[in-house]
Amino acid sequence: MPERGLRPRSAAVLELLVSQPRRASFGSTGELAQLAGVNVATVTRTAQALGFAGWPALQQELRARYLSSLSAPQVAEEHNGVGSPASASLRRDLDSLALLNRRFDEDAIRTTAEAIAAARRTVVIADGSYAAVGIAFAHNARLAGYDVQAVTAGDAELANHTAKLTGEDVFVAISFWRLYESTVLAADEARRRGARVFAVTDAASPALAGAAEQVLMVPAEGVTFFPSLTAGMALVQAIVAQLAAVDPARTSESIEAAEAMWSRFDLLHRRPGGTRNQPG
């Protein structure tokens, strides 16, 4: 809320968002304006007064929070009636990538990459299906020459890694849809120990945002009972690309060392003509 509060018409819009989150999550600005008894411009101004670029940004956050309050069967029910689920899933991912591109925050990406580059080590927590994003992030960041470890094996491993964090380290929490309690606890503990904390998520949950120096928002809504990881994967790839540009010589040296070791271990399948596939 702004320090001076909201004007009466904007307060009416906010009341609608709170009292009817489902309709607000999926309705158009025209529908919400009619329900709140205001014009469309007031809906947009309300979103801006609450700190968002406009109504689409606020609606994304609201819908992410609304869906996080539902169980998996309830989320699936919300998306019933899709003619071609496969086609709808592809279109949703394309829309999410377009939205991520429009809201791309280069300063946030640069801050995150530079923090990782300056850290003694970086711990990435990503559980469940989100682990795929965390594993790819850590794998590519290590190839770029930095000590980045993904923790995906459960609470005991997370507790052990968190216990070793210091003010020289970075902690990255990756979570979409519903937060794991262990992720929130670890982020809080990492901050208490002086580590720099960053979050990659689809909704700025107060529990996670309170511990994070920077919250990097990505759309993650799918078309069935699980969230989409496409935009999240694109974002961490962007962070790694920026990370590789921090110290190109270091990254080049690291990649060359890895390539030499792949050859020594004879890891890669030889294509006809003697060339090798790149690592997965």
Side-chain angles (χ1 to χ4, degrees):
M1 291 286 288
E3 291 184 4
R4 297 182 180 180
L6 294 173
R7 294 180 177 180
R9 288 181 180 273
S10 290
V13 174
L14 180 59
E15 176 60 29
L16 177 65
L17 305 187
V18 173
S19 63
Q20 300 189 50
R22 186 183 184 280
R23 297 189 74 170
S25 296
F26 296 96
S28 67
T29 50
E31 292 170 336
L32 296 178
Q34 185 176 18
L35 287 170
V38 300
N39 57 36
V40 170
T42 298
V43 175
T44 299
R45 285 196 296 269
T46 302
Q48 293 169 341
L50 295 172
F52 295 87
W55 169 249
L58 173 55
Q59 188 175 47
Q60 179 199 336
E61 169 101 2
L62 185 66
R63 185 154 63 216
R65 292 195 185 202
Y66 168 68
L67 292 174
S68 73
S69 71
L70 305 181
S71 65
Q74 287 173 325
V75 171
E77 184 66 25
E78 285 289 345
H79 295 102
N80 273 348
V82 176
S84 171
S87 178
S89 180
L90 290 173
R91 289 196 305 272
R92 176 62 56 81
D93 281 349
L94 287 171
D95 289 343
S96 293
L97 288 172
L99 181 61
L100 178 64
N101 185 56
R102 287 198 302 272
R103 299 180 188 168
F104 179 72
D105 187 341
E106 189 165 358
D107 288 339
I109 298 291
R110 184 181 294 106
T111 297
T112 306
E114 290 176 351
I116 293 171
R120 179 186 61 145
R121 68 183 183 121
T122 297
V123 172
V124 179
I125 169 64
D127 215 336
S129 60
Y130 324 143
V133 179
I135 290 171
F137 183 25
H139 175 82
N140 290 331
R142 286 197 302 275
L143 282 178
Y146 298 91
D147 185 357
V148 180
Q149 300 295 323
V151 180
T152 62
D155 293 351
E157 184 184 3
L158 175 58
N160 292 338
H161 277 276
T162 305
K164 297 178 181 179
L165 290 172
T166 71
E168 298 179 278
D169 301 322
V170 164
F171 181 91
V172 180
I174 299 176
S175 186
F176 310 110
W177 185 26
R178 294 187 291 188
L179 287 175
Y180 289 104
E181 183 64 26
S182 56
T183 299
V184 176
L185 289 173
D188 284 338
E189 182 62 23
R191 182 184 183 186
R192 191 183 71 81
R193 290 173 172 271
R196 298 181 68 178
V197 178
F198 298 85
V200 178
T201 185
D202 59 337
S205 165
L208 192 55
E213 170 183 336
Q214 188 85 54
V215 178
L216 292 86
M217 300 282 289
V218 296
E221 185 180 353
V223 297
T224 182
F225 62 88
F226 53 85
S228 170
L229 305 179
T230 302
M233 189 69 77
L235 181 72
V236 299
Q237 291 289 79
I239 295 173
V240 173
Q242 186 67 44
L243 180 62
V246 172
D247 188 344
R250 175 175 179 169
T251 295
S252 179
E253 181 180 346
S254 176
I255 293 172
E256 288 175 3
E259 180 72 37
M261 200 57 64
W262 297 334
S263 297
R264 182 174 180 181
F265 277 76
D266 199 26
L267 295 180
L268 305 179
H269 172 68
R270 289 187 179 275
R271 291 175 175 173
T275 60
R276 289 177 180 268
N277 292 325
Q278 290 299 312

